[in-house]
């Protein structure tokens, strides 16, 4: 016969209640006691029937993780933070990549609901309606929006993108740049709007004209193509370029190199996200770090809190960004 919780308790010399706490990964159990119980489980060949336990608790201990652009390295950092926080709590995520398609997103969310996930972590696809979040909330499914906010009826975790743009622009202005461009804000999502509005606001505060804005997709290809527009007339070309994200910034640096220009010497380049590749590039990329892993951890913890306590007003967690200065952002060139 299969060993029971009572068998484990007798073998370990503890109560059945203590064994149950160990099985639920409760922090109330001392480390030595936990180790003794787990040793008894191994000795007796006990296997925890998690599915039955979840049915009793009416929880599956699974969440849906719906990401808009999984090929972007930043979202890998976000997912890693989510995975760390969920794993520590004994939960697991089902991951889906929408590839910026609201149709795919709706299909994935429906499938996750069929599998009875206890909540959803959502980085909304471009064009997502607030109704998507509102419907989940009305149906009692906790949801945390990440990075992009489409509705006010659910929790939200992100970075302060306006402050990030302000930090980048102010740094360039202190270096003496007066012709500053912004590249890559074509996405119809809240972070792109925040960056663009902050860019438009910060330059006039220093008596500078708002530089050219190239609304291309924030990709390597988009950034490289934008260079052709910005540097067609070198006499009026920008001396610095702020990009929507690091991928776009890496594309800008490739485009500059194709024109025989050196990033950090002939034109300063600043990105957003602080992906690992930026630090390894030559020249290394100056960027605004927004803490993708930390955002993921905070979002996962917030969702778990909301699952346990569904009542209460939606909560917003906004993390401060940090400017990381590297070689791609040198002093103002002479051109």
């Amino acid at each position: 016969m299969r060993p029971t919780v009572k068998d484990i308790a007798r073998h370990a010399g503890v109560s059945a209640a203590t064994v149950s706490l160990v099985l639920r990964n409760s922090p109330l159990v001392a480390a030595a006691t936990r180790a003794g119980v787990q040793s008894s489980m191994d000795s007796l060949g006990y296997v925890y029937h998690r599915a039955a336990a979840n049915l009793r608790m009416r929880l599956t201990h699974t969440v849906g993780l719906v990401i808009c652009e999984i090929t972007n390295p930043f979202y890998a950092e976000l997912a890693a933070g989510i995975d760390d926080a969920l794993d520590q709590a004994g939960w697991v995520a089902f991951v889906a990549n929408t590839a910026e398609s609201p149709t795919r997103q709706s299909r994935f969310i429906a499938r996750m609901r069929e599998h009875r996930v206890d909540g959803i972590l959502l980085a909304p696809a471009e064009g997502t309606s607030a109704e998507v979040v509102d419907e989940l909330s009305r149906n009692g499914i906790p949801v945390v929006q990440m990075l992009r906010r489409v509705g006010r009826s659910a929790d939200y975790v992100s970075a302060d993108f306006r402050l990030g743009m302000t930090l980048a622009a102010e740094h360039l202005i202190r270096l003496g740049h007066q012709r500053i461009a912004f590249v890559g804000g074509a996405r119809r999502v809240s972070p792109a709007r925040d960056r663009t509005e902050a860019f438009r606001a910060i330059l006039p505060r220093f008596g500078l004209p708002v530089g050219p804005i190239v609304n291309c997709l924030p990709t390597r290809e988009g950034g490289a193509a934008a260079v052709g527009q910005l540097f067609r007339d070198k006499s009026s070309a920008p001396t610095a370029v702020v990009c929507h994200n690091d991928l776009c910034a890496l594309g800008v640096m490739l485009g500059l190199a194709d024109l025989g220009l050196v990033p950090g010497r002939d034109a300063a380049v600043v990105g957003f996200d602080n992906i690992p590749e930026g630090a390894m590039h030559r020249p290394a990329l100056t960027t605004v770090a927004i803490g993708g892993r930390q955002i993921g951890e905070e979002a996962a913890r917030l969702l778990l809190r909301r699952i346990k306590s569904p009542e209460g007003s939606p909560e917003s967690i906004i993390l401060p960004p940090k400017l990381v200065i590297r070689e791609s952002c040198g002093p103002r060139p002479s051109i």
Side-chain angles (χ1 to χ4, degrees), residues 170-185:
E170 286 183 345
H171 177 66
L172 293 170
I173 293 168
R174 283 195 297 270
L175 291 175
H177 293 278
Q178 297 184 11
R179 300 197 302 273
I180 304 172
F182 175 50
V183 171

Side-chain angles (χ1 to χ4, degrees), residues 61-334:
H61 286 85
T62 61
V63 301
L65 172 54
V66 184
I67 294 180
C68 56
E69 194 179 4
I70 204 168
T71 55
N72 185 330
F74 173 80
Y75 286 98
E77 289 291 309
L78 179 80
I82 291 169
D83 183 66
D84 286 346
L86 291 178
D87 183 51
Q88 290 175 15
W91 292 58
V92 69
F94 296 144
V95 184
N97 174 40
T98 66
E100 298 291 5
S101 168
T103 302
R104 282 169 58 95
Q105 178 176 269
S106 296
R107 188 164 65 248
F108 291 146
I109 289 176
R111 289 175 180 173
M112 288 175 175
R113 291 180 62 181
E114 291 171 0
H115 285 278
R116 297 182 60 245
V117 295
D118 299 317
I120 291 178
L121 293 161
L122 176 66
E126 181 179 9
T128 298
S129 166
E131 178 61 23
V132 172
V133 172
D134 293 342
E135 182 182 2
L136 289 170
S137 298
R138 285 196 302 269
N139 284 279
I141 301 172
V143 58
V144 174
Q145 304 167 92
M146 301 178 296
L147 301 167
R148 302 172 175 184
R149 172 174 255 165
V150 297
R152 300 283 173 176
S153 62
D155 298 309
Y156 175 63
V157 181
S158 187
D160 191 334
F161 296 115
R162 292 175 184 269
L163 176 58
M165 175 59 77
T166 300
L167 292 175
E170 286 183 345
H171 177 66
L172 293 170
I173 293 168
R174 283 195 297 270
L175 291 175
H177 293 278
Q178 297 184 11
R179 300 197 302 273
I180 304 172
F182 175 50
V183 171
R187 294 281 186 208
R188 293 176 294 111
V189 292
S190 56
R193 290 193 298 271
D194 289 346
R195 288 174 170 92
T196 303
E197 290 173 4
F199 180 77
R200 292 183 182 279
I202 187 63
L203 298 177
R205 282 171 42 193
F206 288 85
L208 299 177
V210 176
I213 298 175
V214 180
N215 288 321
C216 61
L217 290 178
T219 62
R220 286 184 178 87
E221 295 80 7
V227 171
Q229 300 180 45
L230 294 172
F231 290 83
R232 185 175 295 115
D233 182 358
K234 290 191 177 182
S235 64
S236 61
T239 62
V241 181
V242 182
C243 301
H244 177 85
N245 62 17
D246 287 349
L247 292 180
C248 183
L250 293 173
V252 166
M253 290 203 286
L254 288 173
L256 290 171
D258 287 344
L259 294 179
L261 301 174
V262 179
R265 187 192 72 185
D266 299 321
V269 182
V270 182
F272 258 83
D273 292 347
N274 195 28
I275 64 174
E277 184 181 350
M280 301 300 293
H281 198 275
R282 293 296 176 268
L285 178 64
T286 294
T287 187
V288 178
I290 61 175
R293 184 178 289 264
Q294 186 179 1
I295 290 173
E297 291 173 351
E298 292 288 351
R301 294 186 188 116
L302 177 54
L303 181 62
L304 295 181
R305 293 198 301 272
R306 184 62 67 192
I307 291 170
K308 294 178 181 177
S309 303
E311 303 301 326
S313 300
E315 181 178 346
S316 293
I317 299 176
I318 309 298
L319 303 179
K322 178 183 178 182
L323 182 66
V324 181
I325 301 172
R326 301 192 184 107
E327 290 81 6
S328 74
C329 192
R332 187 178 76 87
S334 58

Side-chain angles (χ1 to χ4, degrees), residues 5 8-9 14-30 33-34 37-38 41 46 48 50 57 89:
V5 168
I8 300 299
V14 297
S15 68
T18 298
V19 175
S20 296
L21 290 173
V22 171
L23 292 172
R24 295 200 300 270
N25 294 318
S26 171
L28 301 176
V29 182
T33 303
R34 182 185 303 276
V37 170
Q38 291 173 338
M41 291 168 57
Y46 179 83
Y48 184 37
R50 186 172 298 277
M57 298 171 63

